[in-house]
Amino acid sequence: MGIGRRHRYTGLRQLVAGSDGYYVVPLGWRADTDPVYLIPKSNETWIGLTPGEQPR
């Protein structure tokens, strides 16, 4: 099995890991105006999460 496309996304925070995938929002997210993104779980997708930083 070869390596497919590689993408790195920064500036996202995980809200919850559901059975269907990871729900994430961008830093500075506002519930009244900004979307929530779903990264679907898949055997072809690897998700690596790292600890975030607290704003100063």
Side-chain angles (χ1 to χ4, degrees), residues 4-56:
R5 298 181 194 145
R6 293 183 182 184
H7 297 280
R8 175 177 284 193
Y9 298 97
T10 60
L12 298 174
R13 291 195 181 268
Q14 178 183 339
L15 288 179
V16 67
S19 61
D20 52 349
Y22 297 94
Y23 292 85
V24 298
V25 295
L27 296 176
W29 178 79
R30 292 180 47 128
D32 57 340
T33 59
D34 298 331
V36 174
Y37 298 100
L38 170 63
I39 302 171
K41 288 185 180 176
S42 164
N43 290 334
E44 288 80 38
T45 303
W46 179 82
I47 304 292
L49 303 173
T50 59
E53 296 180 12
Q54 294 293 323
R56 295 179 189 223

